[in-house]
Amino acid sequence: QVQLEESGGGLVQAGGSLRLSCAASGRTFSSYHMDWFRQAPGKEREFVAAISWTGGSTAYANSVKGRFTISRDNAKNTVYLQMNSLKPEDTAVYYCAAGPRSVRAGVKAEYDYWGQGTQVTVSS
């Protein structure tokens, strides 16, 4: 009974930045881990970033460490992904996902809710 909606995707040049948002409704936002995944054409959906329900702990895929930052604003029921120094290989549909506090970051089967995705395209 949680609905997730991503926004903020678009076309950006290599080296540029985008900020993605995922708005949640239907449940108490702070009860869930809210994490980001992405899926490029011809590839499996892969883990990008995770944040604990308190916002106190984060985890990142090696490919985005130092460039992406995940955060959440429980008052707005929203999780964010700030993406800096974007590379063409970051091009993908980005999805947010919600799971219980016990979820292991990046284990797709353990997430209960998924958004519909937002397209990010990075030109060279």
Side-chain angles (χ1 to χ4, degrees), residues 91-110:
T91 295
V93 177
Y94 284 71
Y95 300 87
C96 64
R101 293 171 60 183
S102 60
V103 70
R104 291 174 291 174
V107 181
K108 296 188 289 291
E110 297 186 4

Side-chain angles (χ1 to χ4, degrees), residues 5-29:
E5 184 174 2
E6 303 94 337
S7 62
L11 175 64
V12 65
Q13 296 182 37
S17 299
L18 285 173
R19 189 191 191 198
L20 306 183
S21 299
C22 176
S25 62
R27 292 285 188 182
T28 302
F29 182 65

